[in-house]
Amino acid sequence: MSLQSPHHHGRPRPPRLLRPAHALWLVVGGLLWWGYSTHGLPHLLWSYSYVTSGADRWDWSARYYTQCRYIGFHGSAALLNPMDGRCPLIVFRQAQSGGGAQ
């Protein structure tokens, strides 16, 4: 009875996490770090204010958003005053050093 597995052919194998097939976690981790350092963390739309300028309030295309409030991983909400009158569902923001709201 042999102590080696039937698939082991006598050559040393690299550690499991350093094999090319298992090193994908290094690429994923690097991409996540790069995304965080360049774009920040995702923040989800929490609330908003809008004006309709006389149109029906259920007419979504007539809404002009004046404030968008987001909440993110830091637990702080950020206020944005959109220039184009739209509030995206998710924005990426970097941590603010002086406070939470903008």
Side-chain angles (χ1 to χ4, degrees):
M1 188 158 104
S2 173
L3 295 177
Q4 293 183 348
S5 71
H7 301 291
H8 191 267
H9 298 290
R11 62 187 146 103
R13 297 173 69 176
R16 182 177 190 139
L17 293 178
L18 296 181
R19 288 187 219 152
H22 293 97
L24 185 61
W25 66 273
L26 290 172
V27 174
V28 171
L31 287 174
L32 287 173
W33 177 81
W34 173 79
Y36 167 71
S37 65
T38 57
H39 301 290
L41 293 174
H43 288 67
L44 184 65
L45 181 63
W46 184 255
S47 64
Y48 49 83
S49 300
Y50 63 89
V51 293
T52 58
S53 61
D56 180 27
R57 69 180 247 189
W58 297 110
D59 184 8
W60 294 83
S61 63
R63 290 182 179 185
Y64 185 86
Y65 295 90
T66 56
Q67 282 189 342
C68 309
R69 187 173 177 90
Y70 293 88
I71 191 162
F73 288 104
H74 300 295
S76 62
L79 285 175
L80 294 178
N81 296 319
M83 300 295 280
D84 60 353
R86 298 284 173 221
C87 291
L89 181 61
I90 296 174
V91 295
F92 287 87
R93 301 189 49 95
Q94 294 183 342
Q96 302 295 321
S97 60
Q102 249 191 357

